[in-house]
């Protein structure tokens, strides 16, 4: 008899992963507009500001694998998720383009660590006989967030014209993901 794929902890990790990527992808299509409107940034500056996040995430990932293997996975997961969530407050507080750039660039670190830690915990809670199938569904939660979050964010922005509301929404969704992962 095959082990159950959809156990309680796996569903929680999938939900937290969806929240993580929802918070990330919600802002992705609108940050260039925000930087242009709020700070008067040019296209090349916008590209530089937004690339810092990705570069920092890439730099952190190899070290994150080491951290997840060297320390309790849940601790690495919770600390990474907490910092990832808290950086959304930095977007609300950044009053200059330089401050926003620093916050955005540093935000990539917890994101890089969190994606590694969350994936590892997902593998840990999957039955070994169903890991391949489970990781496929886990990846689907990323794709669903990627498909849904920008649409919702653009809809919200269209009717409210408020980037602040979008930053708050990202913060709340990230905190919900942290809370869900805390119960795993």
């Amino acid at each position: 008899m095959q082990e159950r794929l959809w156990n309680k902890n796996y569903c929680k990790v999938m939900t937290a992963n969806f929240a993580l990527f929802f918070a990330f992808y919600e802002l992705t299509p609108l940050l260039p507009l925000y930087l242009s409107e709020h700070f008067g940034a040019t296209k090349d500056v916008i590209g530089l500001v937004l690339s810092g996040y990705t570069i920092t995430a890439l730099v952190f990932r190899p070290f994150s694998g080491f951290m997840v293997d060297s320390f309790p996975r849940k601790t690495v997961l919770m600390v990474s998720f907490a910092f990832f969530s808290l950086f959304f407050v930095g977007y609300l507080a950044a009053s200059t383009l330089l401050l926003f750039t620093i916050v955005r660039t540093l935000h990539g670190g917890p994101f890089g660590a969190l994606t590694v830690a969350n994936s590892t915990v997902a593998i840990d809670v999957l039955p070994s006989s169903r890991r391949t199938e489970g990781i496929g569904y886990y990846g689907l939660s990323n794709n669903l967030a990627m498909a849904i979050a920008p649409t919702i964010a653009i809809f919200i922005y269209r009717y409210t014209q408020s980037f602040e509301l979008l930053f708050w929404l990202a913060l709340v969704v990230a905190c919900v993901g942290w809370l869900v992962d805390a119960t795993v």
Side-chain angles (χ1 to χ4, degrees):
M1 186 164 128
Q2 238 180 358
E3 294 177 80
R4 228 173 112 217
L5 173 64
W6 296 98
N7 64 59
K8 191 186 311 183
N9 282 329
Y10 177 64
C11 290
K12 289 177 183 179
V13 171
M14 290 253 308
T15 301
N17 191 58
F18 178 84
L20 156 67
F21 281 96
F22 187 98
F24 171 72
Y25 284 118
E26 170 205 337
L27 299 178
T28 301
L30 292 168
L31 281 178
L33 185 60
Y34 174 73
L35 293 171
S36 175
E37 285 182 11
H38 195 74
F39 298 114
T42 59
K43 291 176 186 176
D44 54 336
V45 170
I46 291 169
L48 287 171
V49 169
L50 298 181
S51 67
Y53 187 97
T54 305
I55 292 167
T56 305
L58 289 172
V59 167
F60 265 69
R61 283 201 170 113
F63 301 106
S64 303
F66 171 77
M67 297 295 284
V68 166
D69 285 341
S70 301
F71 299 98
R73 290 181 172 149
K74 175 114 183 229
T75 302
V76 174
L77 173 67
M78 298 312 297
V79 169
S80 299
F81 220 140
F83 278 106
F84 173 76
S85 301
L86 288 174
F87 268 99
F88 288 110
V89 174
Y91 296 145
L92 290 161
S95 58
T96 66
L97 183 58
L98 177 60
L99 283 175
F100 188 91
T101 303
I102 292 168
V103 169
R104 182 70 180 167
T105 301
L106 293 175
H107 196 188
F111 178 78
L114 178 53
T115 53
V116 170
N118 210 43
S119 299
T120 306
V121 171
I123 292 168
D124 287 346
V125 300
L126 281 167
S128 58
S129 63
R130 311 277 307 262
R131 280 201 180 126
T132 306
E133 178 186 6
I135 290 303
Y137 287 121
Y138 178 82
L140 183 61
S141 70
N142 298 357
N143 295 340
L144 285 172
M146 188 187 328
I148 294 168
T151 304
I152 290 172
I154 290 168
F155 179 80
I156 290 170
Y157 180 73
R158 179 178 179 201
Y159 288 102
T160 66
Q161 298 295 305
S162 173
F163 289 107
E164 186 176 305
L165 176 62
L166 294 172
F167 293 143
W168 277 108
L169 178 62
L171 173 63
V172 168
V173 169
C175 287
V176 167
W178 182 86
L179 288 170
V180 170
D181 260 348
T183 65
V184 173

